[in-house]
Amino acid sequence: MRLLQILKEDIKTQQHLLAIYKNALSTLPKGRLRYRMMNGRVRYFRYNPETKKVTYLKDADKELVQKLKYRRVTEETIKTIENNLNIEEKLLEAYQPYDPVSCQMRLGKVYQDAPELFYEENGKHKKKKI
C-alpha cells in the first residue's frame, strides 16, 4: 500500500533530521532570549536556566543572539519531529489496509472462501475470484 510506504519513508527522513538537529543543538550556547523595548530599540537579555540569571546582551553580542534564536528554533523543531515520529509509529502499527482481500483475511475461516468480490483496478470494476 502506497500510504504505508510513504509513512515509512517519512519516518526514516525525520529520524535522520532528528539526529542532525540534536547534533546541532549540542554545539549551540545554552539559554533563552528575552527582550524589552527600551528607547524605541529592542534590547536582548539571556536567561540561563542553570543559574537562573538574566544578563544583558550588548550590541556586540549579535552573534550570540542569533545562536540563541537558532537554538530555540532547533529545540522546537526537535520537539515537533519527536511528536510526529510518535504519531506516525502508532499509525503504522494500527493502520489496516481496507482492500477486500485484506479485510477478508482478517475475518475467520468461514469467510475465506467468500464468493466473487469486486475489485477496483485502475478505476474500472473487475470481477476476480478469491
Side-chain angles (χ1 to χ4, degrees):
M1 175 142 260
R2 182 82 179 124
L3 173 64
L4 296 178
Q5 181 184 354
I6 291 169
L7 195 57
K8 288 175 184 176
E9 288 173 10
D10 190 57
I11 287 171
K12 186 177 177 182
T13 299
Q14 288 195 65
Q15 287 171 334
H16 177 72
L17 290 173
L18 184 61
I20 291 170
Y21 285 120
K22 283 185 173 184
N23 185 53
L25 189 64
S26 69
T27 67
L28 295 169
K30 293 190 190 294
R32 296 271 175 114
L33 281 178
R34 294 185 178 177
Y35 77 96
R36 287 199 182 118
M37 291 297 292
M38 299 170 75
N39 298 326
R41 294 183 61 193
V42 175
R43 299 295 182 187
Y44 290 103
F45 298 83
R46 179 184 186 184
Y47 171 74
N48 185 333
E50 293 171 354
T51 63
K52 298 189 181 354
K53 290 186 179 182
V54 177
T55 55
Y56 173 72
L57 299 175
K58 302 173 187 151
D59 288 338
D61 296 322
K62 284 182 184 180
E63 186 176 334
L64 177 59
V65 168
Q66 293 306 315
K67 286 182 179 181
L68 289 169
K69 286 181 180 182
Y70 181 56
R71 178 183 188 83
R72 185 65 186 108
V73 171
T74 302
E75 289 171 339
E76 184 64 22
T77 302
I78 288 170
K79 178 181 162 188
T80 301
I81 289 174
E82 288 175 338
N83 186 52
N84 286 348
L85 286 171
N86 185 31
I87 291 168
E88 286 181 328
E89 287 168 356
K90 286 179 182 176
L91 176 60
L92 197 57
E93 289 173 15
Y95 186 84
Q96 294 184 352
Y98 51 85
D99 63 279
V101 172
S102 296
C103 291
Q104 183 182 9
M105 299 311 284
R106 287 192 296 270
L107 297 173
K109 275 189 169 184
V110 70
Y111 296 99
Q112 297 307 307
D113 62 346
E116 292 182 350
L117 296 174
F118 285 90
Y119 295 91
E120 192 168 324
E121 191 175 286
N122 297 327
K124 296 179 184 177
H125 289 289
K126 181 180 176 184
K127 281 187 181 181
K128 195 172 188 180
K129 282 197 174 198
I130 296 178

